[in-house]
Amino acid sequence: MEEIEILSQKPKEEVLDFIRKRLFVEGQTEHRKFNMSGYESKTGECTVSNTAILNEFADLGIYDYTDYLFLDFYKGTPTVYLKYWGEEKNLEFNFDGYTTSEIIYEVFKLTIFSGMKKRRRK
């Protein structure tokens, strides 16, 4: 059974634990977290940092279901923008009040757990 299939059958709390383990950095007391403020002292700093965190899960295929998938934070409000592969509609999802792990879990639900059409990459 493929890792995604196994992961999709686990309870939410176990998937959240999987996410936290992926984001854990040896020697740190907490896992990596999104900069949810959206503010930055250097142009692009927030976007680069947050994208790097989301990209920790690219190997699971989160981008294979979309033409684009983008996470943005504005004044503390996280929004996921996406367009499913082969679809016409641009979508946005607000995850205000969610933690980093919960946002990534929601991205999983929108992509690898969605059952949506996946583009062929091989």
Side-chain angles (χ1 to χ4, degrees):
M1 195 179 293
E2 203 174 298
E3 184 177 24
I4 303 306
E5 291 176 52
I6 295 167
L7 201 55
S8 69
Q9 294 175 7
K10 292 185 182 242
K12 179 180 179 179
E13 207 47 54
E14 286 185 36
V15 177
L16 289 171
D17 286 342
F18 167 84
I19 292 166
R20 289 181 195 108
K21 286 177 187 166
R22 277 253 179 136
L23 295 176
F24 184 75
V25 177
E26 193 66 39
Q28 300 292 318
T29 56
E30 293 186 342
H31 62 76
R32 295 171 55 200
K33 296 180 181 182
F34 291 128
N35 173 352
M36 295 195 194
S37 73
Y39 296 110
E40 50 197 16
S41 56
K42 181 180 174 190
T43 302
E45 175 181 57
C46 183
T47 300
V48 169
S49 172
N50 289 340
T51 301
I53 291 171
L54 189 59
N55 283 344
E56 290 290 329
F57 303 92
D59 66 307
L60 298 176
I62 61 172
Y63 297 107
D64 293 346
Y65 297 84
T66 65
D67 285 334
Y68 69 83
L69 169 63
F70 183 75
L71 177 61
D72 187 42
F73 293 90
Y74 180 70
K75 294 185 179 181
T77 300
T79 305
V80 170
Y81 299 90
L82 67 82
K83 180 178 169 220
Y84 285 113
W85 187 78
E87 300 287 325
E88 295 296 320
K89 196 170 184 180
N90 297 305
L91 303 169
E92 66 181 72
F93 302 89
N94 179 300
F95 294 112
D96 196 29
Y98 286 57
T99 66
T100 296
S101 299
E102 290 169 333
I103 293 168
I104 294 168
Y105 178 76
E106 293 300 322
V107 169
F108 284 8
K109 286 174 41 182
L110 292 168
T111 59
I112 60 175
F113 297 166
S114 71
M116 296 297 287
K117 187 174 168 184
K118 182 178 175 181
R119 79 173 109 174
R120 189 172 162 194
R121 296 228 188 231
K122 294 181 184 179

